[in-house]
Amino acid sequence: MSDIPTPERHPDIPSRRRQELAALGGPWLEALTASAVAIVLTDALLPDDPILHVNPAFEALTGYPAAEALGRNCRFLQPEPAETEARARIREALATDAPVTADLLNRRRDGERFWNRISIATIRDGHGAPAFRLATQADVSSEYADDPAARELRASRRSLAEVQERLRVVQSVAGAAGAWEWDIASKRLVADARFASIYGLDAATAASGLPTAAFFAAVHEEDRMRLRIAVAGALHGAEVFARDYRVVVDGEIRWVAARGRTYLDAAERPLRFAGVLTDITDQRKVEERLHIAQTAGEVGSFEYVAGYGTAEVSEQFCRLLGLRPAQSLPVRTINALVHPEDPALIQNRDGRISSGTASHEFRITRADTGEERWLASRGEYRAGLAGGTIFTGVIYDITTTKRSEAALRLLTEKLEERVEERTQERDRLWNLSRDLLNVIGPDGRLRAVNPAWTRLLGHDEAELIGTSIEALTHPEDAATARSHLAHLLHGEAIAEFDIRMRTKGGDPRWVSWTVVPEGGAIYGIGRDVTQRKLLEDQLRQSQKMEAVGQLTGGIAHDFNNMLTGILGGIDMVRRRVSQGRLDDVDRFLEAAMQSGQRAAALTHRLLAFSRRQTLDSRPLDVAVLVRSIEDLLRRTLGEQIELVIDMGPDLWSAVADDNQLESAILNLAINSRDAMPDGGRLTIGGRNVHLSATDLAHSDRGEAGDYVEIRVADTGLGMPADVLAKAFDPFYTTKPQGQGTGLGLSMVYGFIQQSRGDVMIESREGSGTTIRLFLPRHHGAPDETPAKPRAAALPGTGETVLVIEDDPAVRLLVLQVLQELGYRAIETADERDAVPILQSARHLDLLISDVGLPGMSGRRLAEIARASRPGLPVLFMTGYAREAADQAQFLDAGMEIITKPFAVDELGQRVNRILRTKGMAGPSSE
Amino acid sequence: MSDHVVPLEEMERDALTELVNIGVSRAAASLRKMAGQQVLLSVPSLEVVTRGGAATLIRERESGDLVAVRQDFEGVFSGRALLIFPESNSMALVRAVAGSALSDAEAAEMEDEALTETGNVVLNSCLATMANMLQRPLTMSLPQVVRGNGVGLFELMQVSTEEGGVVLFLYINFAINDRDIRGYIAMLMDLPSLQALRLLITEFIRRVIGDEV
Ligand SMILES: Cc1cc2nc3c(=O)[nH]c(=O)nc-3n(C[C@H](O)[C@H](O)[C@H](O)COP(=O)(O)O)c2cc1C
C-alpha cells in the first residue's frame, strides 16, 4: 500500500451525477475514455472537485485503479504538501474557471515520482455555470530529467563550456591541470607531475624531457590519428590548439582536454607548442548524459545576450527549427520562423528584463520542410559576467501535447455544445409537449409547469405556481392524490396512476401520471387520457349491456322454467281441489316448491356474483368446515373420484361466511367432478400463506398480509388458455346454452372478493385444474359456531310482534306464520303506520321489519324503536340490501337478519329462538 | 535532397581544417604586424556543401547585408575563394586592422581598402599554405570587394564549370584585441578540383602520420 496522506474522500457522489455525465457525454465520453490520453473528470458542483471519472490511460499513468481515485481530489497524487507555484496557479485558475496547464511533481501508486503535465478545462452547463472539470495528464518527466542534469539542461552548451573553462582554471590554479611544453626544434616533450600522472608517465622522467612520441603513446587508439593531425597543424604554425581526447592508463580510460598555443620565433617559424591538460572525465560524463538527454529528449538549448543580433545555439536547437546545425544564429533568422501571432522565440532584445524565469509556447514553420510545429521555450534570465542580461533557455517540441490539448478543447466545446443543445432540446420539449410537465416542491406545491397545463386545464402559469396539487385534483380523487404525494415525498417511486384533474371551469379531466421523486422534488409527466377513459367507460358500459342481455336471457329462461313448475303445480293443485281429488295434490305442490327453491338459489347466485349478497363473515376453522362437508362431497363426487383432504397443521382461523364457503367448495368440487368424467383425484388442501401486494395485484380489496389458502385441485381435463382467460367471466359457461347461467366460478370469485380475499386459478389442458381461495386470516381464536337449531318451531305463547313489510304478499305470509305459531302480530306497511306504535306505550316483544322500505329504512325504524325500547329484539328481512351486505357492520346487538326467500319453518324457528333467548336474557321491553 | 555532398571523411576534414588553421594563423601573424595589435585567427570547423546549401547556410546565419573579399585561384584544384563578414562587423575589422585612432569618416573612406588588404592576407595565407602543405603551386587573382546578401554573393560565384560545384564552408573566428568578429571562408570548387584536393589531403595525412614526430 502507498503511504499517501489521508485525503478527503467523498464516497457518496450521487450516481445521478455520473449518470448525468454519461448522458451528456454519451459516445463522446466513451471515445475519450478509450483513447490513450489520460483523462480525469471532476465534479465542479461539489466542494473541492472530487473525481467522478478516470479512464484506463489515467489508471496506467498513475497506477491507481479508478475505484481508488473516485471521490478524491486529484491532489492525492502529489507526494508533498509543499506549496508550489504550479499549485497556486491551478487554484487561481479554478477559482475563475479559467483553463490552465501546469506541470506538477506527482507520485504513482508504486511510489515512483513523475512530472505530470495537467491541462484543466471547465465544462459549463447550459446556463454557463461550471458543471464538470476535465483534465488530461501526460508524463513529461523527460523534460525534467534528473535534477543535476535538469539544471545543466537549462544551460546552453556554451555556458556549460564556460563552466568547464572556469573549472579548468580553478583546477590549474589548484594544481589539478598538467602542463606540457613541446620543443619543436629538439623534438623533446617536457611535462609536469600532473601531466605525467594523467598520462601514466614517471614524473621525474617527464620533468626531464621525453621523446615527443610520448605525447601520443597513452592516447586512445581511436583518437590518436586525429590528435596527430591537430598537433601537425600546431607544429606547422596553426596557433590555436584545442582538442579533447581519451588516454588509456592501466586499462582505465580518462577524457582529457588539451588546450595549447604555438609560439613562433621572430621569423614566424614555429618554436614551441605548449599547453595545459585537464582531466575532464567527470564533466565529459555529464556532458555526454546531457547530450543524450538533449538528443533523446529533443531538447535544444540556446543562450542570448540582450542587445546582440545573434544567439548561441545547440545542434538540437537548429534541428528543432529545421535549420542547419550552427553554434550561433541571428535572432532574426530564428524569430522569422515563429508564427506571426505567437510570441517570439528569442525575447528581451532590449534587455528590459534582467532576472527571473520565463516560458512560452509558439508555433514555428520548419525552415527545411515548412511543417508547422508547436514548441515551448523555458529559461532563465541572469546577469552576465561582462554585464548585460543573459537568457539561457531550452526549446522542445510540444506538438503532440498541443494536439491533444486542442482535441481536448474541441471535445470540451463539443460537450458544452451538447449540453447547450440538450438544454435547448429540453426547453423545446418542455414548451411544446402536449403532456403536462411539472415540478412539485417538497411542500406539495407546484414549482414549475409547462404551457400544456394552461392548454389543458385553462389555469395560467401564475395561478398554478405555488398551488397545491391537491387543490387542482377532482374532489373524488383528492384523497388518492394526497396519498400518492405522501409516498412520493418519502422517496417512493410510483410508476403510474390515473386521477382526475380539475379544469378552471371545474370539469374533470382524466390525467395519467408518471411521477419520479428526485432530490426532494417531484417530477411529473401527465397525459390527458380523458378521451381514453371515456371510450373505456363506453366500452365497459356496452360490454355490461351485452352481459346484462346475456344474463337476462339466461335468467329469463331459467325463471320461466321454474315459474312453469310453480304456476303449473299450483294450477294442477287448484284443479284437483275443485274436483275434490286430493290424493296426488302433494306431488304437484312438491314440484312447485322445488321450482321455487331453484328460483331462490338462482337469485342468490346472482347476488353473490354481484358481490351483493348478505354475508355473515365470522372467524372460522377451515379444516373443521371442510371435514363437516366431507361426507356430502364424497356423495357428490361418486365412487370414481378419490377425495384427498390435506389440511396443514396449525391452520390459522379465517374470516368468511361459512355457508357461502361451503357452497363455494361444493361448487368447485362439482366443476372438478364434471372435468373428470373418467374418474380421478380431487384434493382439497389448506395451509397458511403470506401474500404481498404484488401477489394481490388482481384482487379488488385484498391487502398484503396473512391468508389461509384453500386449494381445490383435480386431475381432470384442464382448460385451454382461452377458456382459462374467461373462467371468472360472470356469464361465461362451458355448458351448453340453457343448461346454466354460468355463474359457478364467478360466484365463487364474487364471494371471495367480497370477503377481502383472492382467487387464483391454474390450469393446463390435459393436466388438471387447481383453484386456490385465499381468505384473510383472523387474528385470534375462531368463534364457537353456534349450533344451528334444526328442530321444528315451538309454538309461541302470545308474544306481541310488530311486522313492517310493504309487500302485501310477504306481509300476509309472515302474519299467517306468526299467528299459526301462536304469536300476536301487528301489521304495518311502512313508517307512517309503524312509528306511532313504536313510540306508544304498547307492549312489544319483537320487531320484524323489511330493510328496504319505501320511506324510512328498516334500520332507521329499528333505531327509533330502540330509542324508547332499548334491547327490543329486531329481525330484519331482506331480499337484497346493499347496506346489509356486511352483517357485522349492519347489526347491533339483539338484531338479526333473515334473507328472502325463506321457508315458513325457517322464519318460525328464528322468531322462536329470538324470543326464547330474550326471555332468558331479561324482562321484555315495555 | 541533402545539401551536403561528397562528405569528406572525418580525418580528411580534420586535416583540411588544420591546413586552413595553419593558413589563418599565418594570416594572423601578418595582420598582427600590419595592425600592431593582438590578432588571433582560428577555424573551428568546416563543411562541404552545395552552392545552394552554402546560400542557405549564410542566409540562416546572417540576416543582414554581407561584405566579402573575393579571389579566384587556379592550380591542381581551381575555384573561387571568399572571405565573408557581416556588413555590421566590417567597420570593426577596419578599425582593428587600420588602427582605432581613425575617425568614422576616415574609417569609412578606408573601408574597402582595409577589407581588400585583410581579405588578401587571409585568403592568400590560406591558399598558399594549402598549396605549400600539399606541395602544389596555385596562382591567385587580385582580391575584389563585393557586397550583397547571402544568395547574391553565391550567385556571384559563377565558375567556369557548369555543374555548380561544391563549397568548402569554413567558420573563422577573429579575435582582435579580445574583440570577437565572426566571418566565413567559402571556397567554391568544381568536383574534379575537390577530388584532386582530396587526394592531396590523403597524401598529407600519410606524411604527417609517417612523420618522425
Ligand atoms: C480536473 C482536475 C484534474 C487535476 N489533476 C491533477 C493531477 O493529475 N495531479 C495533481 O497533482 N493535481 C491535479 N489537480 C490539481 C489539484 O486537484 C488541486 O487543484 C491543486 O493541487 C491545487 O489546489 P491545492 O493547492 O489546494 O492542492 C487537478 C485538478 C482538477 C480540477
Side-chain angles (χ1 to χ4, degrees):
Chain A
M1 268 307 293
S2 56
D3 51 344
I4 301 294
T6 342
E8 311 80 349
R9 301 203 66 153
H10 303 263
D12 50 354
I13 292 177
S15 59
R16 181 169 53 85
R17 287 287 285 158
R18 239 171 300 169
Q19 281 163 10
E20 209 172 291
L21 181 72
L24 289 176
W28 162 83
L29 194 65
E30 272 165 42
L32 195 58
T33 297
S35 78
V37 184
I39 296 285
V40 170
L41 253 154
T42 66
D43 194 334
L45 294 189
L46 289 177
D48 208 27
D49 282 288
I51 299 178
L52 273 178
H53 170 84
V54 300
N55 71 341
F58 175 93
E59 293 177 313
L61 176 70
T62 63
Y64 283 97
E68 284 183 37
L70 294 185
R72 295 166 120 181
N73 179 285
C74 293
R75 84 172 68 76
F76 80 90
L77 292 168
Q78 298 164 9
E80 281 135 25
E83 170 71 337
T84 62
E85 175 268 335
R87 275 179 56 178
R89 211 147 46 76
I90 294 177
R91 267 203 316 277
E92 255 168 55
L94 291 182
T96 56
D97 302 313
V100 60
T101 295
D103 294 357
L104 286 163
L105 187 61
N106 276 186
R107 178 162 56 180
R108 290 184 229 279
R109 196 167 181 275
D110 61 12
E112 194 198 327
R113 296 182 185 208
F114 69 104
W115 281 96
N116 196 354
R117 178 160 303 151
I118 307 151
S119 301
I120 308 173
T122 299
I123 300 161
R124 293 162 188 279
D125 65 15
H127 308 289
F132 299 102
R133 292 193 216 280
L134 186 56
T136 58
Q137 276 99 348
D139 183 347
V140 292
S141 306
S142 65
E143 289 176 22
Y144 288 84
D146 60 61
D147 255 7
R151 249 176 276 124
E152 297 296 349
L153 190 61
R154 298 214 183 87
S156 77
R157 273 220 187 123
R158 162 122 170 228
S159 66
L160 184 77
E162 223 170 64
V163 169
Q164 286 169 348
E165 286 301 340
R166 238 178 281 147
L167 192 72
R168 274 184 210 111
V169 171
V170 171
Q171 276 181 326
S172 54
V173 168
W180 84 86
E181 205 168 298
W182 178 316
D183 187 88
I184 296 170
S186 65
K187 297 184 180 173
R188 294 293 286 180
L189 177 70
V190 179
D192 68 2
R194 178 70 195 150
F195 184 102
S197 119
I198 293 170
Y199 261 65
L201 301 170
D202 174 61
T205 336
S208 61
L210 294 161
T212 50
F215 199 84
F216 306 106
V219 174
H220 193 286
E221 219 181 314
E222 285 174 26
D223 298 339
R224 197 178 294 148
M225 201 67 112
R226 298 187 64 190
L227 182 64
R228 280 190 155 199
I229 293 170
V231 171
L235 298 181
H236 286 93
E239 289 174 298
V240 180
F241 173 86
R243 254 318 171 232
D244 292 353
Y245 56 93
R246 287 162 290 181
V247 293
V248 186
V249 177
D250 300 332
E252 199 200 346
I253 300 172
R254 313 277 318 162
W255 274 97
V256 296
R259 301 287 179 271
R261 277 284 302 271
T262 298
Y263 299 91
L264 307 177
D265 63 11
E268 305 285 338
R269 276 189 311 257
L271 195 61
R272 57 198 171 87
F273 164 53
V276 289
L277 187 73
T278 353
D279 186 334
I280 55 159
T281 312
D282 294 339
Q283 292 101 298
R284 186 72 192 202
K285 273 185 195 149
V286 173
E287 225 175 325
E288 248 166 32
R289 238 185 300 157
L290 179 64
H291 182 74
I292 289 166
Q294 285 194 341
T295 319
E298 310 211 307
V299 175
S301 50
F302 66 101
E303 187 170 277
Y304 173 70
V305 183
Y308 278 65
T310 58
E312 303 299 320
V313 297
S314 75
E315 211 173 295
Q316 190 64 37
F317 181 97
C318 302
R319 216 170 282 147
L320 281 167
L321 296 175
L323 293 171
R324 304 187 58 88
Q327 285 173 0
S328 122
L329 285 173
V331 173
R332 256 210 266 166
T333 306
I334 298 169
N335 285 347
L337 298 173
V338 177
H339 194 283
E341 287 169 18
D342 294 346
L345 200 169
I346 307 279
Q347 301 184 345
N348 198 36
R349 297 195 68 163
D350 53 9
R352 233 180 296 169
I353 309 167
S354 61
S355 69
T357 57
S359 65
H360 60 280
E361 294 173 355
F362 48 88
R363 283 161 289 178
I364 56 129
T365 305
R366 278 186 72 104
D368 50 356
T369 57
E371 187 194 351
E372 184 176 278
R373 305 287 301 178
W374 272 96
L375 299 186
S377 151
R378 285 156 193 278
E380 204 178 346
Y381 292 100
R382 62 186 165 83
L385 294 172
T389 306
I390 301 172
F391 183 80
T392 310
V394 290
I395 59 166
Y396 48 89
D397 193 302
I398 53 162
T399 311
T400 350
T401 321
K402 274 288 170 190
R403 283 191 190 140
S404 59
E405 260 174 45
L408 175 66
R409 202 166 33 243
L410 200 74
L411 288 165
T412 309
E413 278 164 16
K414 277 217 183 105
L415 184 60
E416 277 173 11
E417 242 170 57
R418 279 185 70 97
V419 173
E420 177 62 27
E421 244 171 51
R422 288 185 59 88
T423 312
Q424 280 178 6
E425 266 170 32
R426 234 174 343 219
D427 286 353
R428 259 201 302 280
L429 215 63
W430 178 266
N431 289 325
L432 298 181
S433 172
R434 281 153 58 89
D435 292 341
L436 304 181
L437 301 176
N438 63 275
V439 184
I440 299 174
D443 54 357
R445 291 172 191 282
L446 283 170
R447 253 202 238 152
V449 295
N450 73 336
W453 274 81
T454 312
R455 284 197 291 269
L456 182 68
L457 300 177
H459 315 275
D460 44 275
E461 193 178 335
E463 292 170 327
L464 289 165
I465 302 299
T467 307
S468 87
I469 197 77
E470 218 185 297
L472 293 161
T473 310
H474 189 271
E476 280 183 31
D477 290 342
T480 319
R482 196 164 39 234
S483 111
H484 282 321
L485 198 65
H487 282 111
L488 286 161
L489 290 173
H490 278 94
E492 290 173 41
I494 293 176
E496 267 177 55
F497 60 91
D498 296 353
I499 54 171
R500 278 163 291 179
M501 304 298 292
R502 230 188 352 205
T503 62
K504 197 167 186 182
D507 299 331
R509 300 293 295 184
W510 274 104
V511 177
S512 173
W513 287 103
T514 305
V515 188
V516 205
E518 193 172 298
I522 298 170
Y523 297 83
I525 303 174
R527 175 152 297 182
D528 176 15
V529 292
T530 312
Q531 198 60 28
R532 195 187 79 199
K533 284 275 179 193
L534 225 71
L535 286 171
E536 273 177 11
D537 270 357
Q538 280 170 8
L539 190 65
R540 212 175 296 128
Q541 195 61 35
S542 68
Q543 273 174 351
K544 212 191 259 169
M545 291 314 287
E546 195 184 327
V548 167
Q550 265 186 37
L551 178 66
T552 319
I555 291 170
H557 175 88
D558 285 0
F559 261 107
N560 284 338
N561 284 339
M562 294 162 198
L563 287 173
T564 308
I566 297 167
L567 295 173
I570 292 171
D571 201 24
M572 285 306 288
V573 169
R574 196 195 274 152
R575 279 198 216 172
R576 292 291 152 98
V577 168
S578 66
Q579 293 163 5
R581 292 167 55 194
L582 297 177
D583 48 331
D584 56 354
V585 162
D586 265 357
R587 212 159 42 94
F588 294 112
L589 284 176
E590 186 56 36
M593 278 294 276
Q594 271 183 15
S595 292
Q597 272 158 8
R598 272 176 53 214
L602 177 61
T603 52
H604 183 89
R605 275 153 62 196
L606 273 170
L607 289 173
F609 144 69
S610 61
R611 288 168 226 176
R612 285 178 182 165
Q613 62 186 330
T614 306
L615 285 184
D616 186 11
S617 296
R618 43 175 106 228
L620 57 86
D621 184 329
V622 170
V624 170
L625 183 136
V626 171
R627 291 219 176 83
S628 75
I629 56 168
E630 194 177 337
D631 269 356
L632 181 62
L633 285 168
R634 280 193 204 288
R635 262 182 280 123
T636 313
L637 293 172
E639 285 175 359
Q640 278 192 303
I641 294 166
E642 183 198 352
L643 174 67
V644 179
I645 292 179
D646 172 25
M647 290 293 149
D650 303 323
L651 218 54
W652 296 321
S653 48
V655 184
D657 182 316
D658 51 356
N659 284 320
Q660 296 307 318
L661 184 56
E662 274 176 24
S663 89
I665 295 172
L666 208 57
N667 255 298
L668 296 176
I670 290 165
N671 283 350
S672 289
R673 181 196 63 195
D674 295 346
M676 296 185 284
D678 303 322
R681 191 175 60 242
L682 176 73
T683 310
I684 299 179
R687 64 181 181 127
N688 299 332
V689 293
H690 182 90
L691 298 184
S692 66
T694 6
D695 294 333
L696 289 164
H698 299 289
S699 169
D700 283 7
R701 299 211 241 151
E703 284 172 8
D706 292 339
Y707 284 83
V708 177
E709 177 198 275
I710 303 163
R711 185 167 51 97
V712 179
D714 65 49
T715 56
L717 300 170
M719 286 178 246
D722 58 325
V723 174
L724 185 64
K726 294 190 230 164
F728 290 131
D729 272 14
F731 311 113
Y732 185 77
T733 177
T734 51
K735 291 165 190 161
Q737 268 258 304
Q739 275 197 15
T741 39
L743 290 174
L745 265 186
S746 69
M747 195 184 88
V748 173
Y749 186 74
F751 153 63
I752 299 290
Q753 292 289 343
Q754 199 182 339
S755 304
R756 299 172 195 274
D758 199 14
V759 183
M760 292 177 197
I761 182 163
E762 272 166 50
S763 185
R764 276 234 313 278
E765 212 172 353
S767 49
T769 302
T770 300
I771 291 174
R772 290 164 209 274
L773 311 179
F774 298 94
L775 293 172
R777 176 187 182 178
H778 168 70
H779 291 271
D783 285 1
E784 282 306 313
T785 327
K788 288 174 187 166
R790 296 276 181 206
L794 294 173
T797 47
E799 289 95 337
T800 310
V801 178
L802 177 66
V803 177
I804 315 170
E805 171 60 69
D806 57 331
D807 186 316
V810 177
R811 199 167 62 225
L812 178 72
L813 193 73
V814 171
L815 283 168
Q816 201 58 45
V817 170
L818 292 173
Q819 277 163 14
E820 279 184 18
L821 285 174
Y823 299 103
R824 290 212 299 125
I826 307 165
E827 178 190 349
T828 58
D830 51 34
E831 89 267 15
R832 270 172 306 176
D833 302 340
V835 171
I837 299 172
L838 287 171
Q839 288 175 341
S840 74
R842 269 183 88 167
H843 174 87
L844 289 178
D845 293 297
L846 173 66
L847 170 67
I848 297 181
S849 174
D850 187 20
V851 175
L853 292 168
M856 198 178 283
S857 83
R859 184 71 180 79
R860 181 84 192 95
L861 283 168
E863 269 166 38
I864 290 170
R866 286 269 171 106
S868 54
R869 302 160 191 269
L872 176 70
V874 180
L875 177 63
F876 291 111
M877 299 178 291
T878 178
Y880 147 71
R882 181 200 274 260
E883 60 281 21
D886 190 345
Q887 292 190 16
Q889 275 192 9
F890 185 71
L891 301 177
D892 273 353
M895 295 182 180
E896 287 192 20
I897 205 160
I898 184 166
T899 44
K900 297 176 194 167
F902 44 77
V904 172
D905 257 10
E906 203 188 333
L907 178 67
Q909 280 164 12
R910 290 292 281 277
V911 171
N912 220 274
R913 202 181 71 222
I914 292 165
L915 291 174
R916 246 187 305 138
T917 326
K918 185 204 166 215
M920 290 185 292
S924 64
S925 67
E926 295 303 319
Chain B
M1 199 199 81
S2 167
D3 289 337
H4 289 259
V5 283
V6 228
L8 294 176
E9 298 207 346
E10 200 172 47
M11 206 88 74
E12 294 170 330
R13 269 210 333 248
D14 274 6
L16 193 52
T17 308
E18 281 319 316
L19 287 176
V20 182
N21 254 326
I22 297 166
V24 299
S25 293
R26 297 243 164 98
S30 309
L31 290 172
R32 277 198 291 272
K33 278 194 198 124
M34 266 170 59
Q37 304 198 55
Q38 184 56 268
V39 177
L40 264 182
L41 296 183
S42 64
V43 173
S45 65
L46 168 155
E47 278 181 77
V48 184
V49 293
T50 61
R51 198 147 33 118
T56 311
L57 266 180
I58 202 90
R59 193 181 58 239
E60 283 176 0
R61 280 162 182 71
E62 303 296 344
S63 47
D65 275 347
L66 302 170
V67 54
V69 182
R70 188 181 83 186
Q71 263 185 305
D72 293 342
F73 52 90
E74 245 185 84
V76 183
F77 56 95
S78 317
R80 175 169 287 182
L82 284 111
L83 175 67
I84 308 166
F85 300 101
E87 172 86 82
S88 54
N89 274 359
S90 87
M91 288 305 287
L93 189 73
V94 170
R95 277 176 202 280
V97 173
S100 49
L102 290 175
S103 71
D104 284 357
E106 284 168 330
E109 208 174 282
M110 287 187 66
E111 188 184 352
D112 275 16
E113 204 180 312
L115 283 173
T116 312
E117 194 50 39
T118 311
N120 191 27
V121 169
V122 173
L123 293 177
N124 248 326
S125 300
C126 285
L127 288 165
T129 306
M130 281 163 77
N132 194 22
M133 293 302 294
L134 298 170
Q135 301 177 334
R136 291 293 187 282
L138 275 181
T139 55
M140 314 242 264
S141 69
L142 285 173
Q144 207 185 324
V145 172
V146 286
R147 287 186 156 80
N149 59 20
V151 185
L153 281 184
F154 287 96
E155 285 310 311
L156 278 171
M157 291 178 71
Q158 294 293 358
V159 248
S160 42
T161 38
E162 277 311 305
E163 57 289 24
V166 294
V167 178
L168 291 186
F169 202 90
L170 300 121
Y171 303 87
I172 177 162
N173 288 330
F174 288 72
I176 302 175
N177 262 356
D178 290 333
R179 217 213 236 107
D180 278 335
I181 293 169
R182 67 174 183 284
Y184 310 89
I185 296 173
M187 279 186 244
L188 191 106
M189 285 178 266
D190 55 13
L191 283 174
S193 288
L194 182 69
Q195 212 46 48
L197 179 62
R198 211 168 170 185
L199 280 172
L200 295 175
I201 290 166
T202 317
E203 232 173 79
F204 165 77
I205 292 169
R206 207 176 297 131
R207 222 164 342 114
V208 165
I209 302 307
D211 242 7
E212 225 58 58
V213 278

